[in-house]
Amino acid sequence: MRTRLVREAIETIRRQVRDGTFSADADVAEAVRSLAEQRLAEVTSVFYRRVVNAAGIILHTGLGRAPLAGRVLAQIADQMGGYTLLQVDLDQAQRSPRDGRIEQLLILLTGAEAAAVVNNNAAATALVLNALAAGKEVIVSRGQLVEIGGAFRLPEVMAFSGAKLVEVGTTNKTHLRDYENAITENTAAILRVHPSNYKIQGFTSEVPLPELVTLAHANGLLLFDDVGAGSLIDFSRFGFDKEPTLIESVAAGADVVTASGDKLIGASQAGLILGRAALIQKIRKNQFARIVRAGKLTLAALEATLTLFLDEAAALEHVPTLRLMLRPAEQIARQAERICQTVQSACPDATITLQAGWSQIGSGSLPGQNLPTTLVAVSSPHQSAAALANRLRHCPTWVFTRIADERVLIDPRTLLDDDEVILTQALIQVLKAGVSQ
Ligand SMILES: *Cc1c(COP(=O)(O)O)cnc(C)c1O
């Protein structure tokens, strides 16, 4: 590998000599060595590193969505260093489904008859449509034809799955009769999609899930519900707007429910599929299920996280996503105050103020629900906000912030464990670096 890096460096220097960009009095051997060393440092550094999320977006797609709970990590670390039980039936020494354990947990937690796990929710949706509706029509409201970050676009997922999309209603209003009028002998299902990352407000209406279930079943159709964020806890108890939970969707009679594992469940990236036993069996037998199956790391993280939900208090205490959502406002305000004081006393010429603001859940979960927070706004007479934010991203532990009105905004809500110390040190360092220029 080192020889290859040196050869690469020699090639680069040769090119520079040919184009005349290599300075005539520079030492060629030294230039090659320095270039090769720089590349070596790059390739040996960790890319999937720990960073500080001071942007206040809890499920930040660019920063890996849900951080895993410490307990979950401890369990996985112990398991993954050795052979692990994955696909053996202890009594018969035969293969059992690798997600059988997760299925048991999901049945307990949601009341579903059966369940399966795949790579992510996009795969879950495509798999369900292919296994249960390929070559048939599936009715979707125009208000629910969503695009979700990372290029999940419902019409395209449907086309890929082989199901035929039948759009009904309008962007803002869809009525039960719109669905009713679209049913033909070729219809297999009605699909409800939780609009996740946006909200239609004003003159709007969507048909409630129980009414869609009744209509589907009266016509011999299936009802698929893509819940998206996949909450197992009703957050309206804590003052959030009412959002569908997996439990409610199952109870309303949806035949198949799909959700992400790394949104409001706060586990690893996964697609959860809940449903009636005969349908889940059909889904498991579909070739696509093998193509998008989950790996052992994913399953181990899911098992450990879902186990926490068996005791809701434990989930609320240990699952970072939930803990950050429910952080008390006063606790965030105190932390903002501490950061402000520490940085201000080290950097007296910086302007550091506290201001009321909003955190976001992110990843299209609980759209439109902004969480009140206290922001630390930082500006420097020596450098622009963009330069400050850029320097913060290049500190030894990368720090991610927001910028508004020429100020860097720090939202303490998404700081975990030792992040506060790392953040204040990074801020002091970059503010001072600006002065010395
Ligand atoms: C997030 C989301 C998806 C995509 O889920 P991934 O796990 O990211 O593949 C699909 N549908 C809805 C409604 C979502 O919110």
Side-chain angles (χ1 to χ4, degrees):
M1 186 268 282
R2 277 161 207 258
T3 318
R4 190 170 305 137
L5 291 179
V6 171
R7 279 200 195 114
E8 241 179 50
I10 292 171
E11 263 316 302
T12 308
I13 300 293
R14 270 203 187 119
R15 248 195 329 271
Q16 288 176 0
V17 170
R18 269 201 306 273
D19 332 326
T21 51
F22 190 78
S23 127
D25 44 322
D27 179 337
V28 173
E30 187 46 46
V32 168
R33 190 178 30 176
S34 132
L35 204 58
E37 272 171 2
Q38 195 184 320
R39 283 282 294 136
L40 181 67
E42 268 168 37
V43 299
T44 52
S45 74
V46 176
F47 177 81
Y48 302 105
R49 69 187 71 189
R50 179 84 186 249
V51 300
V52 172
N53 176 3
I57 301 165
I58 297 175
L59 295 170
H60 192 306
T61 303
L63 305 182
R65 277 199 195 160
L68 294 176
R71 285 187 173 200
V72 168
L73 288 173
Q75 192 170 321
I76 298 177
D78 184 48
Q79 291 163 345
M80 292 297 136
Y83 296 102
T84 55
L85 212 52
L86 183 64
Q87 234 169 303
V88 283
D89 183 323
L90 287 182
D91 300 323
Q92 292 152 27
Q94 277 173 354
R95 271 151 73 104
S96 66
R98 57 169 53 204
D99 52 354
R101 169 68 177 166
I102 311 296
E103 176 174 29
Q104 288 167 12
L105 285 166
L106 286 173
I107 289 171
L108 264 177
L109 289 167
T110 66
E113 247 180 64
V117 180
V118 292
N119 183 64
N120 59 359
N121 189 22
T125 309
L127 169 60
V128 168
L129 289 167
N130 183 261
L132 305 176
K136 300 264 194 126
E137 293 168 3
V138 175
I139 306 173
V140 187
S141 159
R142 288 201 168 89
Q144 298 174 3
L145 289 174
V146 294
E147 170 173 319
I148 287 154
F152 175 96
R153 309 184 85 198
L154 195 74
E156 274 127 66
V157 172
M158 285 197 87
F160 176 78
S161 74
K164 186 163 174 293
L165 169 64
V166 176
E167 301 177 22
V168 296
T170 61
T171 306
N172 58 327
K173 282 204 172 208
T174 304
H175 306 285
L176 193 65
R177 62 172 184 276
D178 295 325
Y179 287 95
E180 222 165 349
N181 293 339
I183 297 172
T184 70
E185 66 273 20
N186 205 26
T187 310
I190 294 173
L191 169 63
R192 182 183 82 149
V193 183
H194 186 53
S196 277
N197 50 3
Y198 75 105
K199 240 193 166 73
I200 301 183
Q201 278 171 342
F203 186 60
T204 66
S205 72
E206 281 287 356
V207 183
L209 184 63
E211 286 178 40
L212 283 182
V213 170
T214 307
L215 178 70
H217 292 173
N219 289 277
L221 307 178
L222 297 172
L223 191 294
F224 305 151
D225 191 18
D226 178 8
V227 187
S231 169
L232 288 167
I233 290 173
D234 181 358
F235 290 104
S236 66
R237 255 174 45 214
F238 305 105
F240 293 88
D241 289 349
K242 184 80 189 153
E243 288 284 326
T245 67
L246 290 179
I247 299 129
E248 283 159 352
S249 188
V250 169
D255 298 289
V256 181
V257 182
T258 54
S260 295
D262 55 348
K263 289 183 183 169
L264 294 180
I265 293 178
S268 43
Q269 177 190 300
L272 312 180
I273 309 176
L274 313 173
R276 292 201 278 108
L279 299 177
I280 294 292
Q281 203 167 4
K282 224 168 153 185
I283 288 166
R284 282 189 188 284
K285 285 198 183 125
N286 185 280
Q287 267 307 309
F288 197 52
R290 173 63 180 80
I291 297 168
V292 296
R293 79 174 181 189
K296 63 178 181 179
L297 270 166
T298 297
L299 294 168
L302 256 181
E303 178 187 19
T305 308
L306 289 174
T307 304
L308 290 172
F309 280 88
L310 293 175
D311 171 7
E312 196 180 283
L316 293 174
E317 185 184 341
H318 296 291
V319 177
T321 302
L322 306 186
R323 215 173 58 219
L324 297 181
M325 280 174 68
L326 300 176
R327 277 191 73 181
E330 320 81 70
Q331 193 194 69
I332 298 174
R334 277 199 305 276
Q335 193 171 22
E337 185 80 36
R338 272 200 309 273
I339 294 167
C340 180
Q341 278 168 6
T342 310
V343 179
Q344 187 74 83
S345 59
C347 308
D349 58 352
T351 307
I352 307 175
T353 54
L354 298 183
Q355 66 183 60
W358 306 95
S359 315
Q360 288 172 36
I361 311 250
S363 281
S365 305
L366 304 178
Q369 301 232 18
N370 287 318
L371 306 168
T373 192
T374 305
L375 301 168
V376 184
V378 183
S379 61
S380 158
H382 310 291
Q383 49 191 327
S384 68
L388 262 178
N390 185 49
R391 283 210 169 90
L392 283 168
R393 282 197 304 275
H394 289 86
C395 281
T397 301
W398 300 13
V399 176
F400 288 80
T401 56
R402 278 190 270 161
I403 296 179
D405 303 327
E406 258 312 298
R407 286 175 308 171
V408 167
L409 299 182
I410 310 281
D411 185 347
R413 178 184 294 274
T414 43
L415 299 179
L416 296 158
D417 312 330
D418 306 324
D419 285 354
E420 182 182 327
V421 177
I422 298 168
L423 169 76
T424 48
Q425 281 169 357
L427 265 174
I428 291 168
Q429 188 193 323
V430 301
L431 285 166
K432 289 192 166 163
V435 176
S436 64
Q437 276 194 340

Coordinates of all heavy atoms in Angstrom, one line a residue, residues 162-191:
G162 N -43.1 -3.1 -9.1 CA -43.9 -3.8 -10.1 C -45.4 -3.6 -9.8 O -46.3 -4.1 -10.5
A163 N -45.7 -2.8 -8.7 CA -47.1 -2.5 -8.4 C -47.5 -1.2 -9.2 O -46.6 -0.4 -9.5 CB -47.3 -2.2 -6.9
K164 N -48.8 -1.1 -9.6 CA -49.2 0.0 -10.4 C -49.8 1.1 -9.5 O -50.8 0.8 -8.8 CB -50.2 -0.5 -11.5 CG -50.6 0.6 -12.5 CD -51.2 0.0 -13.7 CE -51.7 1.0 -14.7 NZ -52.8 1.8 -14.1
L165 N -49.3 2.3 -9.6 CA -49.7 3.3 -8.7 C -51.0 3.9 -9.3 O -51.1 4.3 -10.5 CB -48.7 4.4 -8.6 CG -49.1 5.8 -8.0 CD1 -49.4 5.6 -6.6 CD2 -47.9 6.8 -8.2
V166 N -52.1 4.0 -8.5 CA -53.3 4.7 -8.9 C -53.4 5.9 -7.9 O -53.7 5.7 -6.7 CB -54.5 3.8 -8.8 CG1 -55.8 4.5 -9.1 CG2 -54.3 2.6 -9.8
E167 N -53.3 7.1 -8.4 CA -53.3 8.3 -7.6 C -54.8 8.8 -7.5 O -55.5 8.8 -8.5 CB -52.6 9.5 -8.2 CG -51.1 9.2 -8.5 CD -50.4 10.3 -9.2 OE1 -50.9 11.5 -9.1 OE2 -49.4 10.1 -9.8
V168 N -55.2 9.1 -6.3 CA -56.5 9.7 -6.1 C -56.5 10.9 -5.3 O -55.5 11.2 -4.5 CB -57.5 8.6 -5.4 CG1 -57.7 7.4 -6.3 CG2 -56.9 8.3 -4.0
G169 N -57.6 11.7 -5.4 CA -57.7 13.0 -4.6 C -56.9 14.1 -5.2 O -56.4 14.0 -6.3
T170 N -56.6 15.1 -4.3 CA -55.8 16.2 -4.7 C -54.7 16.4 -3.7 O -54.6 15.6 -2.7 CB -56.7 17.5 -4.8 OG1 -57.1 17.7 -3.4 CG2 -57.8 17.4 -5.7
T171 N -53.8 17.4 -4.0 CA -52.7 17.6 -3.0 C -53.2 17.8 -1.6 O -52.7 17.3 -0.7 CB -51.8 18.8 -3.5 OG1 -51.5 18.5 -4.9 CG2 -50.6 18.9 -2.6
N172 N -54.2 18.7 -1.5 CA -54.6 19.0 -0.1 C -55.8 18.2 0.4 O -56.0 18.1 1.6 CB -54.9 20.5 0.0 CG -56.0 21.0 -1.0 OD1 -56.1 20.5 -2.1 ND2 -56.8 22.0 -0.6
K173 N -56.7 17.7 -0.5 CA -57.8 17.0 0.0 C -58.1 15.7 -0.7 O -58.1 15.6 -1.9 CB -59.1 17.8 -0.1 CG -59.2 18.9 0.9 CD -60.7 19.4 1.1 CE -60.8 20.3 2.2 NZ -62.1 20.3 2.9
T174 N -58.2 14.6 0.1 CA -58.6 13.3 -0.5 C -59.8 12.8 0.4 O -59.7 12.8 1.6 CB -57.4 12.3 -0.5 OG1 -56.4 12.9 -1.3 CG2 -57.8 11.0 -1.2
H175 N -60.8 12.3 -0.3 CA -62.0 11.8 0.5 C -62.2 10.3 0.3 O -61.6 9.8 -0.7 CB -63.3 12.5 -0.1 CG -63.2 14.0 -0.1 ND1 -63.3 14.7 1.1 CD2 -62.9 14.9 -1.0 CE1 -63.1 16.0 0.8 NE2 -62.9 16.2 -0.5
L176 N -63.0 9.7 1.2 CA -63.2 8.3 1.1 C -63.7 7.9 -0.3 O -63.3 6.9 -0.9 CB -64.2 7.9 2.2 CG -64.2 6.4 2.4 CD1 -62.9 5.8 2.9 CD2 -65.4 6.0 3.4
R177 N -64.6 8.7 -0.9 CA -65.2 8.4 -2.2 C -64.2 8.4 -3.3 O -64.3 7.7 -4.3 CB -66.4 9.3 -2.5 CG -66.0 10.8 -2.6 CD -67.1 11.7 -3.2 NE -66.6 13.0 -3.3 CZ -66.5 13.9 -2.4 NH1 -66.9 13.7 -1.1 NH2 -66.0 15.1 -2.6
D178 N -63.1 9.2 -3.1 CA -62.0 9.1 -4.1 C -61.4 7.8 -4.2 O -61.1 7.2 -5.3 CB -60.9 10.2 -3.8 CG -61.4 11.6 -3.9 OD1 -62.3 11.9 -4.7 OD2 -61.0 12.4 -3.0
Y179 N -61.1 7.2 -3.0 CA -60.6 5.8 -3.0 C -61.6 4.8 -3.5 O -61.3 4.0 -4.4 CB -60.3 5.4 -1.5 CG -59.1 6.1 -0.9 CD1 -59.2 7.2 -0.1 CD2 -57.8 5.5 -1.0 CE1 -58.1 7.8 0.5 CE2 -56.7 6.1 -0.4 CZ -56.9 7.3 0.3 OH -55.8 7.8 0.9
E180 N -62.9 5.0 -3.1 CA -63.9 4.1 -3.5 C -64.1 4.0 -5.0 O -64.1 2.9 -5.6 CB -65.2 4.6 -2.9 CG -66.1 3.5 -2.3 CD -67.2 4.1 -1.4 OE1 -67.2 5.3 -1.1 OE2 -68.1 3.3 -1.1
N181 N -64.1 5.2 -5.6 CA -64.2 5.3 -7.1 C -63.1 4.7 -7.9 O -63.2 4.4 -9.1 CB -64.4 6.7 -7.5 CG -65.7 7.3 -7.0 OD1 -66.7 6.5 -6.6 ND2 -65.8 8.6 -6.9
A182 N -61.9 4.5 -7.2 CA -60.7 4.1 -7.9 C -60.6 2.5 -7.9 O -59.7 2.0 -8.5 CB -59.5 4.7 -7.3
I183 N -61.4 1.9 -7.1 CA -61.3 0.4 -6.9 C -61.8 -0.3 -8.2 O -62.9 0.0 -8.7 CB -62.1 -0.1 -5.7 CG1 -61.5 0.6 -4.4 CG2 -62.0 -1.6 -5.6 CD1 -62.3 0.3 -3.1
T184 N -60.9 -1.2 -8.7 CA -61.3 -2.0 -9.9 C -61.1 -3.5 -9.5 O -60.5 -3.7 -8.4 CB -60.5 -1.7 -11.1 OG1 -59.1 -2.2 -10.9 CG2 -60.4 -0.2 -11.4
E185 N -61.3 -4.4 -10.4 CA -61.1 -5.8 -10.1 C -59.6 -6.1 -10.1 O -59.2 -7.1 -9.6 CB -61.8 -6.7 -11.1 CG -61.3 -6.7 -12.5 CD -62.1 -5.6 -13.3 OE1 -62.6 -4.6 -12.8 OE2 -62.1 -5.7 -14.6
N186 N -58.8 -5.1 -10.5 CA -57.3 -5.3 -10.5 C -56.7 -4.6 -9.3 O -55.4 -4.6 -9.2 CB -56.8 -4.7 -11.9 CG -55.5 -5.4 -12.2 OD1 -55.2 -6.6 -11.8 ND2 -54.6 -4.7 -12.9
T187 N -57.4 -4.1 -8.4 CA -56.8 -3.4 -7.3 C -56.4 -4.5 -6.2 O -57.2 -5.4 -5.9 CB -57.9 -2.4 -6.6 OG1 -58.4 -1.6 -7.6 CG2 -57.2 -1.6 -5.5
A188 N -55.2 -4.3 -5.7 CA -54.7 -5.2 -4.7 C -54.8 -4.6 -3.3 O -55.1 -5.2 -2.3 CB -53.3 -5.7 -4.9
A189 N -54.5 -3.3 -3.2 CA -54.4 -2.7 -1.9 C -54.6 -1.2 -1.9 O -54.5 -0.5 -3.0 CB -53.0 -3.0 -1.4
I190 N -54.8 -0.6 -0.7 CA -54.7 0.8 -0.5 C -53.5 1.0 0.3 O -53.2 0.3 1.3 CB -56.0 1.3 0.3 CG1 -57.2 1.1 -0.6 CG2 -55.8 2.8 0.7 CD1 -58.5 1.5 0.1
L191 N -52.7 2.0 -0.1 CA -51.4 2.3 0.7 C -51.6 3.7 1.3 O -51.9 4.7 0.7 CB -50.2 2.3 -0.3 CG -48.9 2.9 0.3 CD1 -48.4 2.0 1.5 CD2 -47.8 2.9 -0.8

